[in-house]
Each structure stands twice: as structure tokens, then as C-alpha cells.
Amino acid sequence: MAQNPATRPDGRTAPEPRSAVPAVWRPQRTVAVVLAGGTGTRVGLGIPKQLLKIAGKPILEHTIAVFEAAPEIDEILVMMAPGFLDEAQQIVDRAGFRKVGKVIEGGDTRNATTRMALDALGPDDCNILFHDAVRPLLSGRIVRECVNALWTHAAVDVAIPSADTIIQVDGDDCITDIPVRARLRRGQTPQAFRSGTIRAAYARAAEDTEFSATDDCGVVLRYLPEVPIKVIEGSDENIKVTHPVDVHLADKLFQLAAAQAPRPVDERAYTEELSGRTVVVFGGSHGIGQKLAELARHYGAEVFPVSRSGTGTHVERAEDVAAALRAAFEATGRIDHVVVTAGMLRTGALAEMDESTIAQMLQVNLVAPVEIARQALPYLRQTRGQLLLYTSSSYTRGRARYALYSATKAAVVNLTQALGDEWSEFGVRVNCVNPERTATPMRTRAFGEEPVHTLLAADTVARVSLDVLLSGLTGQVVDVRRSPGVPGAEIAGPEIEPVGPGGVAKEGSACVATWSGN
């Protein structure tokens, strides 16, 4: 975090600040340097923490993706921990990042890594943003404001106000000072510089035998005290994954970050994304599966709905699953999406259920998704496609007379999260839709007729399901629920990032959709 420029870190009084910003700044490019040199010792792992997976992807991949998506960034340089260059390069290649120019080995310290990055970038004028790889929740807004600030300042830091009182202690852990909290900030990254400024600061630092600094703004502050360091507002979500608890916090923050407003999209985008794709829907003859099959076919997909009543397919039988997938592949030469809406709902006390019902519920609700997943993977690997499963709101808490149904649906959620992690190396995505009470034949058989305004329409859930299929999500549980307080009304929920330029997001006002990760 930048300190008061009137005082050096060594206690000496610095010269009065004066603007050292050239009148005209015309950088050739803007480069994001992702500092991934940490070894993960504080997290207690045998691999660098930036290789840990959160929300289905390595932390490093999440972080690079922010800069890949930022229009202000022209190039990305990854500084990786020694001994792990191959792993980092594989992440870059698998994700298809186009802006990553180099993945090179970092140094023993943060400052040594910065020097190596400056050498790799060469002498041309450019904007440089140094960012911790283990801050994967960086927002595009912060990137944009950092780059914009470099038009008027030669150095930029990112910080947030301190919510806690900061105390200063002596060697005996006794308080010696309590600084005024209003003037304190907690430093984050990125830290942004005009290339000439950061190079000059490190050139002077090289002449100091007692050089020591914890960040790059600290180097500028100490050795170029005449250069003002502009501070822009960071965010509470831009946390650094340093300790074991941070892994869990980051995972939860990814869940919360997903709940954003929808992005309207032209109907033609759905057609562009779905034309030529093959979708296999297990349980596609009724309810949500039927509506999803109709919707996907409407937008140009080759759809193969299979079910016990429609095609004689028993989803719990391995041979039936194999035959359905093989038929779709032989007809079109590909399978892009496999959807499993088939399910069985029988309520009642577990002790009173007959063995046949118990066995059938376990087979249809759990064994079937497992078997379909195993057999679908070879096809989905070829297309880098997606497996979409379905759970129930009862998975979050087992309820009386729902014991078996709730247990199997909770297992499907865990299956989704585990496979999202396992299959990320193949580029295959796995997600799970969790609809609120929905008007389907299965529900009607179990509960009889219910007021329409208390239920989601199957069409609504199908539309969200289609958006998930066309998204880049993996390992996520997508909640679909009615708009609170308005009987029968639904509103649109989160923005779903598309897979490619033609990808689509949620259209119109259909439902509230949020998701949680793994």
C-alpha cells in the first residue's frame, strides 16, 4: 500500500512531491503481468496455490481470464513459479488465451520477478499492470480505472479503506500508536505504471545495498519520491488467496459474483450458437426435458430426446444409455450437449417404502446420472461440450418423507462439482440446474393439482437450462426460482458469460437464476 510520500520508509524526509508526469504519454501497448511465483507454503500444499481449482478452474486461469476479457489489455505476461512452467503453459493452451505472449519463470522474490518481467518486456514505452495471480476475483472495472489513470499519473495503486482499527506495537507487543483509520488503506493489486517510471525506480534500487520492498509501489515511493502515486478504489471481493480459509472464501465469492443482471441478446445469437450442434436429452418426452428439446430444436440444434415412454430407453440401464448416445453420434457425427432431466419422485417415510421403490429411485435418480456421465465423456471430449444435470431444492436440507429423493439429489450436486473439476482438463463442462417447484407431470403425479401461480413453468426452466448450456460455466449449481413477492411473475437473474463471440446470455424476463460453485 502506498504511504504518505512526504516520508520515506526509512524515516528520512522526502522532497516535496512534484509532478513528474510527461505532458504527452503515448504507450505502444498495455501489458498485464500476472505474478504467479508463489509456492503455496501458507496454504499447506505441495503445489503453488495459483494451481488450485476454484469454481472448476485453476486460480491462475480465472485471473488470466480477467485480463483476456479486458479490452484495455493488449498483452499478458505470466511469471510462473520455478518448476511449474509446463503446468502454467498447459492452462494457457487449454483455455485458448490469445493475449498471453509468454509464460516464463519468475525469481526468488517479488522484486526479482518484477525485474525479470521488465527485461522480458523490452525497452519500448508501455503501460504495465502487475497483478497477483492469486487474486482471481479482480473486476474489469478496476483494470479499466488503472489503465485510465495512467494517462494522468505515472504510478497507480489499488486499495480499499480499512474496516478495522490498525495499531502499531513495539517488540514487546505493546501498543505504541493508533493511526487515524480514515487515512489508512489496505493495498491490493494490480499496481500500474508507465514503463519508464518503474524501470527508473528499479534502476535506483539496484544501487542501494540495503534495498527491500514488499511491492512495486513501495519501490517507486522510496526511490522516486517526487512521483505521485494515484490510488484508485479496489473492492472487498479482490481478495488474495494466501491461507487455507481464503480458498473457501474465494469459492463462495465466485458464487456471489455470478448473481448479476442479465444481458439481453438477439434471438439470432441462439441460432448461431445452436445450429449444427447435437443435443441428447435423457427424459426428453415430458416436462422440462421436453420443453428444452423443443427450444433447442427451434434454434437449429439436432435434438435426440430419449425416455422410457418415448423411445423405450431406461436411463438406469447401461446398454440403453450406450445405444442412445451411439444413435445420436452415428446420425450427426458429434454430441455437444448431454442433458439428464429424467427423475423419479416418490414421497413417504423411508421405513414404509418397499424395496422395489427404493431400488428404482436410487437407480433413476443417482445411478443413471453416473452411468450417463461415464458413457457421455468420450463424445463430449471431442466437442468440448457439456453435461447438464438436475437437482431439487430439497438437496440443501433433507426433509421428512423426502429422505431418499433429497439424498439422491444432494449426491447429484456433489457429482456435478466433482466432475466439473475432473473434466476441466478435457475442456468438458458439467453443471446442474436446481429449479424451484416446477409444473411438471412428475410433480403432478406426486402432489396432484396445485395453484399455477405457485409453480415455475417448465418453459422457464428450459430457457435457463439452454443459457447454461451455452455458457462457459462449469461445476456450478444454477438456482431457478420465481420472483419473490409477485405471484406467478418471474424476472431474469444472472449474466451468463458466453463460450465464444457468438455465445448468448439470458434473454428477457423469465426467472431469478443464481448459481453456486464447487
Side-chain angles (χ1 to χ4, degrees), residues 172-193:
D172 296 322
D173 287 333
C174 293
I175 295 177
T176 59
D177 191 21
I178 302 179
V180 178
R181 189 174 65 182
R183 298 185 63 185
L184 297 177
R185 298 291 185 272
R186 292 161 49 204
Q188 299 182 335
T189 64
Q191 294 183 334
F193 308 91

Side-chain angles (χ1 to χ4, degrees), residues 138-159:
L138 173 67
S139 70
R141 187 270 303 173
I142 293 176
V143 174
R144 180 171 59 254
E145 291 190 11
C146 281
V147 176
N148 289 345
L150 288 175
W151 288 108
T152 53
H153 293 79
V156 180
D157 203 355
V158 174

Side-chain angles (χ1 to χ4, degrees), residues 253-261 473 476 493-496 513-516:
L253 286 171
F254 265 109
Q255 299 174 19
L256 295 174
Q260 301 174 8
L473 299 174
Q476 304 292 314
E495 176 179 2
I496 298 179
T514 59
W515 52 82
S516 55

Side-chain angles (χ1 to χ4, degrees), residues 71-375:
E72 298 82 8
I73 301 299
D74 301 305
E75 181 182 338
I76 302 170
L77 172 63
V78 179
M79 306 296 295
M80 190 59 190
F84 293 91
L85 285 183
D86 289 344
E87 288 85 345
Q89 189 64 59
Q90 288 172 8
I91 289 172
V92 170
D93 294 342
R94 185 174 64 246
F97 293 128
R98 299 179 180 179
K99 293 183 181 179
V100 178
K102 296 179 182 178
V103 178
I104 62 178
E105 195 170 277
D108 296 332
T109 65
R110 164 68 176 268
N111 301 131
T113 300
T114 296
R115 283 196 173 104
M116 296 171 71
L118 293 175
D119 291 340
L121 292 177
D124 295 337
D125 287 341
C126 61
N127 291 328
I128 306 175
L129 280 70
F130 293 99
H131 184 66
D132 298 324
V134 288
R135 292 186 186 271
L137 285 145
L138 173 67
S139 70
R141 187 270 303 173
I142 293 176
V143 174
R144 180 171 59 254
E145 291 190 11
C146 281
V147 176
N148 289 345
L150 288 175
W151 288 108
T152 53
H153 293 79
V156 180
D157 203 355
V158 174
I160 60 175
S162 175
D164 300 312
T165 296
I166 305 298
I167 62 174
Q168 183 174 324
V169 300
D170 59 19
D172 296 322
D173 287 333
C174 293
I175 295 177
T176 59
D177 191 21
I178 302 179
V180 178
R181 189 174 65 182
R183 298 185 63 185
L184 297 177
R185 298 291 185 272
R186 292 161 49 204
Q188 299 182 335
T189 64
Q191 294 183 334
F193 308 91
R194 296 181 178 186
S195 55
T197 298
I198 191 64
R199 288 194 183 102
Y202 270 93
R204 293 189 185 181
E207 301 172 357
D208 184 354
T209 58
E210 299 181 357
F211 167 66
S212 176
T214 58
D215 65 4
D216 297 311
C217 280
V219 179
V220 172
L221 179 64
R222 179 165 184 169
Y223 297 102
L224 296 179
E226 70 277 10
V227 175
I229 302 175
K230 176 66 174 177
V231 178
I232 69 168
E233 184 178 355
S235 71
D236 291 325
E237 292 78 15
N238 187 22
I239 66 170
K240 185 176 182 180
V241 180
T242 304
H243 302 285
V245 68
D246 298 328
V247 177
H248 301 288
L249 289 174
D251 192 58
K252 294 302 179 184
L253 286 171
F254 265 109
Q255 299 174 19
L256 295 174
Q260 301 174 8
R263 180 175 56 222
V265 64
D266 191 288
E267 286 279 294
R268 290 173 296 181
Y270 281 90
T271 302
E272 290 173 1
E273 280 297 308
L274 285 165
S275 292
R277 293 196 181 190
T278 298
V279 183
V280 180
V281 183
F282 288 92
S285 297
H286 302 285
I288 297 169
Q290 179 186 15
K291 296 299 182 181
L292 177 58
E294 293 172 354
L295 195 58
R297 186 178 290 116
H298 170 74
Y299 288 119
E302 292 285 346
V303 183
F304 294 81
V306 293
S307 67
R308 181 177 305 183
S309 61
T311 59
T313 303
H314 292 246
V315 293
E316 68 275 21
R317 295 178 183 172
E319 59 273 23
D320 286 12
V321 171
L325 292 172
R326 184 169 57 251
F329 183 79
E330 290 176 350
T332 65
R334 61 186 295 133
I335 295 179
D336 299 273
H337 303 297
V338 175
V339 182
V340 187
T341 62
M344 179 179 179
L345 172 59
R346 296 287 188 274
T347 60
L350 181 62
E352 298 172 1
M353 280 190 177
D354 60 76
E355 292 185 2
S356 174
T357 299
I358 292 174
Q360 192 174 12
M361 286 190 67
L362 288 173
Q363 289 289 317
V364 173
N365 293 338
L366 181 56
V367 174
V370 170
E371 187 60 40
I372 292 169
R374 291 179 65 249
Q375 297 202 37

